[in-house]
Amino acid sequence: MNDDAGPGPGTDGGWEVVVIGAGPAGYAAAIRAAQLGMRTACIDKSLDREGNPTLGGTCLNWGCIPSKALLDVSHKYAEAAGHFGELGIGVGDLSIDVPGMMARKDAVVTRLTGGVGALFQGNGVTALAGSGRLLGNRRVEFTPHDGEATVLEAEHVILAPGSVPIDIDQAPLVPGTVVDSTGALEFDAVPGRLGVIGAGAIGLELGSVWSRLGSEAVILEALDEFLPMADQRIARDALRAFKRQGLDIRLGCRVMRAEPSGDGVTVTYQDASDEHVVEFDRLIVAVGRRPYTEGLLAPDSGVNLDERGFLYVNDLCATDAPEVYAVGDVVRGPMLAHKGAEEGVMVAERIAGHKPLVNYDCVPNVIYTHPEIAWVGRTEQSLKADGENYRTGTFSFGANGRALAANDAEGIVKIVADAETDRVLGVHVFGPQASELIAQAVIAMEFDASAEDLGLTMFAHPTLAEAVHEAALGVGGRAIHMVNRKRA
Ligand code: FAD
Ligand code: AMP
């Protein structure tokens, strides 16, 4: 982190914007504020493994990026181990060098966290390494890692302290053995028997990494339903696919106890019928994340929390304290890097007098399993529950030329549209590169496209995106590459 970056406080000794937290929400806010000509400082207290200040928050250091680095490597490994033969490619003895894989992951992280430092410097954001605490009247106490606290005067404050993994009393962490998501990105070897508590995005992704590399992975999920927030047809297909891949996903199983035993851990869980005991070498606790507000607010800060412990904000991310905003995981809404980044940019622009809004109806969700799961907008089950009239169009990657050519043809695209207006209400993808395909759905929905609009758009052939085109055509019973349920 560069403590010398930026112009420094003005001659009046104050800052126009002080941001607390340099994760995707905070750093995006700081960069945009500086781009708009405001004297901006961004405080962050994260330290890397060597004890050096690091920017980028959870996302770059312990979240999105390192997890994707391991997912991409483990996917290549699983392809080589399981599917290269189908392509006529012979591989000799396959092996995985876990320290090598980790070193590469760390190099990707270092490159990107260094990139945030370079962006701060290039845009004139002053990075301050240490803790920030909001006092009253837009004053921020800054305590450097190795120095005395000072008070910064700010015209506007943006709070972006993020979130941390939830711990549960039933499974206290034991370094190297019972770990949270951060520990699961640091294993020094492939665990023989791996337990995961929680079948959310993080549990599925981390379970997939180690299962692809050879762990016998069991995922214990308290709910009876798999991925209740996703389209339920897709959730069913995905559950089947993941089980086939070797992930032993057990639903309706609530973990009661996890106790160290020898080098491993003994887990007791309860399902509908009985109590069960399983032994694992390593256990990942992935039961969700909570907003992180420890030490953030002085008693007279004027900022309030909501009943779930998030910083309370309105639709424009304003807290109850004048000119104090909060963005990212620490406020309501999905805990996703891009959601926080959009909020950060919106707040910076509003401070500068612009009037953007975040469209919370168009936040894409992705689970980076294989196949990936991605969606935006409403699910069929939520529309049905609300008694709304809708039509659906579905297309299978099994009939998509590019997916078949790539030997990657599992999954579907499903589009849900309003029955009267044909406006696209939701797009759901389970399939290859779903994370990339969903972007076009987000654009379509941002522009209020109808399914017909998407159907009238020309898509390059052969591409995976043609499955989106065909699903859109299917809403009106006009798909070409499948037999429509109804004629149009
Ligand atoms: P954070 O990234 O948590 O950053 C907050 C920063 O503020 C931290 O550096 C923290 O140290 C600092 N801070 C906190 N309090 C203070 C203080 N008082 N003083 C100074 N500094 C402070 N999201 C996605 O969108 N896509 C994904 O694929 C994805 N994968 C994930 C995988 C894993 C394993 C995990 C754990 C998370 C993943 N997420 C993903 C979620 C994503 O990481 C978060 O949504 C995102 O990082 C939140 O951004 P943020 O800026 O709000 O907070
Ligand atoms: P998410 O919040 O999407 O990251 O997912 C976390 C998952 O962990 C949720 O689906 C919870 O139901 C699940 N979970 C929470 N506590 C337990 C527990 N004690 N045993 C099993 N699953 C749990």
Side-chain angles (χ1 to χ4, degrees):
M1 190 185 293
N2 186 338
D3 294 66
D4 307 323
T11 45
D12 57 0
W15 296 91
E16 284 172 287
V17 177
V18 170
V19 182
I20 300 181
Y27 82 66
I31 289 172
R32 191 66 193 121
Q35 284 173 351
L36 289 162
M38 293 181 272
R39 288 190 312 278
T40 304
C42 184
I43 304 172
D44 195 289
K45 65 181 177 185
S46 285
L47 299 173
D48 66 15
R49 228 177 294 122
E50 280 76 48
N52 299 312
T54 180
L55 297 168
T58 305
C59 168
L60 297 195
N61 292 283
W62 308 283
C64 321
I65 297 302
S67 60
K68 265 78 254 180
L70 299 187
L71 278 158
D72 285 337
V73 171
S74 60
H75 176 61
K76 288 186 166 82
Y77 181 89
E79 282 288 288
H83 300 290
F84 274 16
E86 297 157 17
L87 309 178
I89 302 174
V91 280
D93 283 343
L94 202 59
S95 65
I96 181 75
D97 164 16
V98 174
M101 175 178 77
M102 292 297 179
R104 192 200 76 95
K105 179 248 317 169
D106 292 342
V108 174
V109 168
T110 304
R111 181 171 172 147
L112 288 167
T113 56
V116 176
L119 289 171
F120 273 8
Q121 204 161 14
N123 285 287
V125 175
T126 297
L128 300 173
S131 303
R133 182 163 179 259
L134 181 70
L135 311 175
N137 294 326
R138 288 169 279 123
R139 285 170 311 127
V140 174
E141 183 183 77
F142 165 57
T143 310
H145 289 298
D146 48 7
E148 293 292 303
T150 52
V151 174
L152 314 179
E153 305 282 339
E155 289 172 30
H156 315 273
V157 179
I158 305 176
L159 305 172
S163 63
V164 287
I166 293 176
D167 302 328
I168 49 173
D169 293 341
Q170 298 92 317
L173 301 188
V174 179
T177 308
V178 181
V179 297
D180 59 17
S181 58
T182 305
L185 297 167
E186 303 287 335
F187 286 152
D188 53 6
V190 179
R193 289 161 309 167
L194 175 69
V196 181
I197 311 180
I202 294 177
L204 287 171
E205 291 183 11
L206 295 173
S208 294
V209 165
W210 296 106
S211 143
R212 290 167 185 173
L213 298 177
S215 291
E216 251 175 62
V218 178
I219 301 186
L220 300 169
E221 167 56 56
L223 300 177
D224 293 325
E225 210 177 340
F226 184 58
L227 297 177
M229 62 296 192
D231 174 85
Q232 281 307 288
R233 152 93 197 265
I234 284 180
R236 262 195 316 277
D237 291 357
L239 181 61
R240 210 174 307 121
F242 301 156
K243 284 189 168 176
R244 209 180 330 111
Q245 287 166 18
L247 278 179
D248 181 353
I249 299 170
R250 302 183 192 173
L251 301 174
C253 296
R254 174 160 289 280
V255 171
M256 314 301 288
R257 282 187 302 285
E259 294 152 323
S261 60
D263 289 342
V265 51
T266 303
V267 172
T268 308
Y269 69 89
Q270 174 86 50
D271 65 13
S273 58
D274 216 341
E275 205 167 84
H276 304 265
V277 178
V278 257
E279 303 283 334
F280 297 116
D281 298 309
R282 300 268 190 281
L283 179 67
I284 303 172
V285 182
V287 295
R289 297 180 65 79
R290 64 176 171 85
Y292 179 63
T293 54
E294 266 92 357
L296 180 72
L297 304 173
D300 62 344
S301 72
V303 172
N304 293 307
L305 306 188
D306 69 17
E307 62 288 349
R308 296 188 306 146
F310 290 85
L311 297 186
Y312 175 75
V313 289
N314 67 11
D315 286 354
L316 303 175
C317 294
T319 68
D320 289 335
E323 289 313 317
V324 178
Y325 302 85
V327 294
D329 280 10
V330 81
V331 302
R332 82 284 175 269
M335 286 184 163
L336 295 169
H338 41 281
K339 172 265 191 184
E342 290 300 313
E343 290 177 332
V345 168
M346 172 187 74
V347 165
E349 296 202 345
R350 286 200 158 253
I351 290 172
H354 304 296
K355 302 281 177 220
L357 292 170
V358 170
N359 182 355
Y360 290 100
D361 293 336
C362 283
V363 181
N365 279 272
V366 180
I367 304 175
Y368 292 82
T369 43
H370 190 84
E372 294 176 343
I373 302 172
W375 72 93
V376 57
R378 303 284 306 268
T379 56
E380 180 173 5
Q381 66 265 17
S382 76
L383 289 164
K384 199 178 274 177
D386 290 349
E388 298 196 27
N389 272 333
Y390 61 88
R391 294 191 296 177
T392 62
T394 305
F395 193 80
S396 163
F397 283 103
N400 174 273
R402 188 68 197 276
L404 285 165
N407 199 35
D408 205 359
E410 179 159 24
I412 60 162
V413 177
K414 176 167 165 183
I415 296 185
V416 196
D418 186 284
E420 277 92 53
T421 64
D422 195 39
R423 183 166 157 247
V424 177
L425 301 175
V427 178
H428 305 266
V429 185
F430 173 51
Q433 297 185 39
S435 56
E436 302 293 337
L437 294 176
I438 205 65
Q440 59 195 291
V442 177
I443 295 170
M445 287 180 60
E446 275 287 346
F447 285 87
D448 274 335
S450 62
E452 185 181 32
D453 290 329
L454 267 176
L456 289 170
T457 305
M458 197 184 299
F459 285 69
H461 174 76
T463 57
L464 299 172
E466 286 175 296
V468 177
H469 188 220
E470 290 282 349
L473 287 168
V475 171
R478 299 176 49 222
I480 299 296
H481 294 92
M482 66 174 181
V483 178
N484 295 288
R485 273 177 299 164
K486 47 199 173 290
R487 270 177 193 278

